[in-house]
Amino acid sequence: MGGVARPGCGEAGLRCPHATYAEHMSDAATAERVLSEATTIAVVGLSRDPAKSAHSVPAAMQSAGFRVIPVHPSADVLLGERVYRSLADVPEPVDIVDVFRPSGEAAEVARGAAAIGAKSLWLQQDIVSAEARAIAAEAEMDYVEDQCIAVVRAIAGITR
């Protein structure tokens, strides 16, 4: 979409993907509301590598009091939590499915999130998918894309 730089949207030097300021503010409000209503976050693509944001961001959310459920195809324990191979294997209700996978995989994750009845789908910074957005809308899930969940949490001061 090629919007203009706006505070709180993207990292320094990146362009805000929103076409208008109203769209930007609407997405920002949705992100804060989704996070303020959540306690349990299933993280698809949580990394074993502490140097990667796919590890440090979920760790920060866990430190802020959120229940983080790792979803990873081969790990057994991450962040001190049992790892599930897929969203379908998670045995408890999920508020947010947080996605650390490439944009091309987001639609499949969205289908999985809809199948388990997740309340929200959150695509991390630089992950955008029109198909995932459509799947979330059809499933009546809240949808956030191209935003870091830990940045939104920190700016809004949300903890559990």
Side-chain angles (χ1 to χ4, degrees):
M1 282 207 243
V4 298
R6 293 191 176 84
C9 191
E11 296 176 19
L14 296 181
R15 309 284 286 168
C16 174
H18 302 105
T20 67
Y21 184 71
E23 182 181 297
H24 170 82
M25 292 310 295
S26 172
D27 280 359
T30 297
E32 284 188 26
R33 179 183 51 76
V34 163
L35 201 49
S36 70
E37 295 172 356
T39 57
T40 304
I41 305 168
V43 181
V44 177
L46 198 153
S47 177
R48 295 177 190 189
D49 184 350
K52 291 186 174 184
S53 61
H55 183 94
S56 62
V57 167
M61 298 305 291
Q62 188 180 57
S63 292
F66 289 87
R67 166 101 167 91
V68 172
I69 301 171
V71 178
H72 187 283
S74 61
D76 293 321
V77 175
L78 290 170
L79 301 179
E81 298 286 340
R82 177 179 174 199
V83 176
Y84 295 92
R85 300 290 172 250
S86 71
L87 287 171
D89 296 332
V90 175
E92 62 189 272
V94 171
D95 297 315
I96 299 172
V97 171
D98 187 20
V99 182
F100 280 95
R101 300 298 305 147
S103 294
E105 296 178 24
E108 188 59 34
V109 176
R111 287 187 208 43
I116 66 165
K119 295 176 185 175
S120 305
L121 181 67
W122 191 301
L123 306 187
Q124 279 297 132
Q125 187 77 40
D126 296 328
I127 305 171
V128 177
S129 172
E131 187 178 3
R133 180 185 289 269
I135 292 164
E138 186 169 319
E140 298 182 357
M141 284 187 287
D142 287 312
Y143 182 80
V144 177
E145 70 178 10
D146 195 24
Q147 292 191 55
C148 178
I149 198 168
V151 170
V152 172
R153 188 215 62 75
I155 289 171
I158 300 168
T159 59
R160 295 284 162 261

